[in-house]
Amino acid sequence: MQIRFFIILVIGLVIWSCEEESKLEKQIAEIDIDFYVERFDKAFFEAEPKDLQKLKEAYPFFFISDPDSFWIEKMNDSLQNELLGEVQEKFPDVNTATKELEGLFQHLKYYDKTFKAPRVITLTNDVAYRDKTFVNDSIVLIALDNYLGASHPFYQNIPMYIAANMEEDQIISDVANGYASKYNFQTRRSTLLDEMIYFGKLLYFKDIMIPFKTDAEKIGYSDAQLKWAEANESQIWSYFVEKEFLYSTNSKLPSRFVGDAPFTKFGLELDNDSPGRLGQYLGWQIVKAYAEKVEDDVLKIMQTEPEEIFRNANFKPKK
């Protein structure tokens, strides 16, 4: 009888929680956000040398250091035009990205009343994949040539684990990550645990700000990689604890467990089956456990020190 009552209680709490979340999301969806996406990439692709002055007036910050001759040469460059042409073919419009950006901005406005929608501009950056997006208080830049699809010929010399996230569905995740980095604060990042929780906070920020994206999309895993991480969570955690890695200041540990890589370097047989960045994944679970136990909003959590998060999370990995 007691077990039955407990089950009914749990189900009731879950339903109530889902209803509350639904009400919140409906409230956020009503927030008015005024912005549009400017297509500098398209404007430049269609421009002729005589149009250069108009482009400079519309986008002066792109033309600060290089002479006009540089830009005219770029307009006439066959490889540059091929790149721009591929972007126009992949992105005849940016309706999906625009809708998702609106959702992100609405959530940002709800949690940060000082937030103002930025100027959003798409461009190309010669596939500089480590700088796919740029975010500050007034502008968001999105280099669309980094989102043509993992198998695109332009990416054939890029490591596969990096190219895997050069997909259209990663645009909003990358922009959200840029905002998360702006709000994130820690007085130090000296231990492996510091690094894990730093990135865990970035991922938790995405939970709140882009709830319409899947967990796999937020962390940049395939569905299979996310399932692997979930299935092996307890084993991974035990490994970190037994090796006494959490409070280690060994500078090699973040590159093994937190940095972008084709797999996580445990030095075990399971390495080749594992996705990279499992330290980030575990940090995410720790921050989520902490968030469930406190009433702090996401922006306060982003400012909370790793030790406080870890101490109060009482994290227990999935079995």
Side-chain angles (χ1 to χ4, degrees):
M1 188 68 179
Q2 287 181 334
I3 294 175
R4 183 181 176 188
F5 173 77
F6 178 74
I7 292 172
I8 293 172
L9 178 62
V10 169
I11 292 173
L13 288 172
V14 169
I15 293 173
W16 176 82
S17 177
C18 290
E19 288 177 348
E20 289 301 304
E21 287 181 12
S22 179
K23 289 178 183 177
L24 175 60
E25 289 304 313
K26 286 180 181 178
Q27 182 181 348
I28 291 173
E30 293 175 357
I31 296 174
D32 185 43
I33 293 291
D34 184 22
F35 83 103
Y36 69 98
V37 179
E38 302 174 51
R39 295 291 302 271
F40 175 76
D41 58 291
K42 185 175 183 180
F44 191 83
F45 180 60
E46 296 173 350
E48 299 177 4
K50 63 182 178 63
D51 302 316
L52 183 58
Q53 187 57 39
K54 289 183 180 179
L55 286 176
K56 290 172 69 174
E57 291 171 0
Y59 306 96
F61 36 82
F62 289 153
F63 299 90
I64 294 173
S65 58
D66 298 305
D68 288 0
S69 58
F70 169 85
W71 294 101
I72 293 172
E73 184 178 343
K74 197 168 186 177
M75 284 179 180
N76 295 322
D77 182 81
S78 59
L79 289 176
Q80 192 65 218
N81 280 305
E82 182 182 0
L83 177 67
L84 286 161
E86 289 292 305
V87 169
Q88 307 317 307
E89 183 175 344
K90 172 68 177 178
F91 296 100
D93 62 62
V94 286
N95 294 341
T96 299
T98 300
K99 183 64 177 175
E100 292 186 338
L101 285 166
E102 180 183 25
L104 169 62
F105 295 160
Q106 286 172 325
H107 283 79
L108 284 166
K109 183 65 177 178
Y110 178 83
Y111 289 100
D112 179 2
K113 305 308 180 189
T114 67
F115 173 79
K116 294 182 179 179
R119 187 176 181 183
V120 181
I121 305 171
T122 62
L123 68 157
T124 60
N125 69 352
D126 298 324
V127 195
Y129 57 81
R130 299 196 184 280
D131 300 301
K132 294 192 286 183
T133 60
F134 172 82
V135 172
N136 71 16
D137 290 337
S138 60
I139 197 166
V140 168
L141 304 179
I142 302 169
L144 292 178
D145 52 330
N146 294 282
Y147 300 100
L148 298 176
S151 61
H152 196 281
F154 286 169
Y155 306 157
Q156 61 183 347
N157 294 321
I158 296 174
M160 290 179 62
Y161 70 92
I162 293 176
N165 281 317
M166 299 177 77
E167 297 279 357
E168 183 178 0
D169 64 15
Q170 282 298 297
I171 291 176
I172 193 63
S173 183
D174 289 339
V175 173
N177 200 73
Y179 277 105
S181 298
K182 278 170 32 62
Y183 287 103
N184 204 354
F185 174 79
Q186 294 181 189
T187 55
R188 65 175 193 175
R189 290 170 61 184
S190 57
T191 67
L192 179 62
L193 183 64
D194 290 341
E195 286 294 300
M196 289 167 59
I197 291 182
Y198 177 86
F199 285 97
K201 288 197 287 183
L202 299 183
L203 288 161
Y204 176 71
F205 184 90
K206 294 182 187 181
D207 286 335
I208 303 302
M209 299 300 178
I210 50 172
F212 45 85
K213 301 300 282 186
T214 67
D215 283 354
E217 289 169 330
K218 292 170 196 168
I219 194 171
Y221 280 175
S222 66
D223 290 338
Q225 287 175 320
L226 182 62
K227 288 178 181 177
W228 192 99
E230 291 170 344
N232 291 276
E233 186 175 307
S234 182
Q235 184 179 356
I236 300 163
W237 181 249
S238 295
Y239 177 86
F240 283 171
V241 173
E242 290 168 7
K243 294 290 185 180
E244 298 182 347
F245 281 164
L246 294 178
Y247 290 99
S248 173
T249 56
N250 184 335
S251 61
K252 294 181 180 179
L253 293 180
S255 63
R256 288 176 58 189
F257 301 115
V258 177
D260 219 357
F263 54 83
T264 300
K265 303 176 181 67
F266 295 101
L268 303 172
E269 289 184 7
L270 57 76
D271 281 14
N272 289 335
D273 297 325
S274 70
R277 297 177 285 115
L278 283 169
Q280 293 189 27
Y281 169 81
L282 277 178
W284 188 13
Q285 308 317 305
I286 293 169
V287 176
K288 285 199 284 190
Y290 173 78
E292 289 173 0
K293 290 179 171 60
V294 299
E295 296 183 357
D296 298 341
D297 69 21
V298 61
L299 299 188
K300 186 171 182 180
I301 290 173
M302 296 299 287
Q303 298 285 309
T304 304
E305 295 291 352
E307 184 58 34
E308 181 177 344
I309 289 176
F310 182 59
R311 186 175 63 251
N312 293 302
N314 193 25
F315 172 67
K316 291 179 174 58
K318 300 184 183 77
K319 298 293 186 182

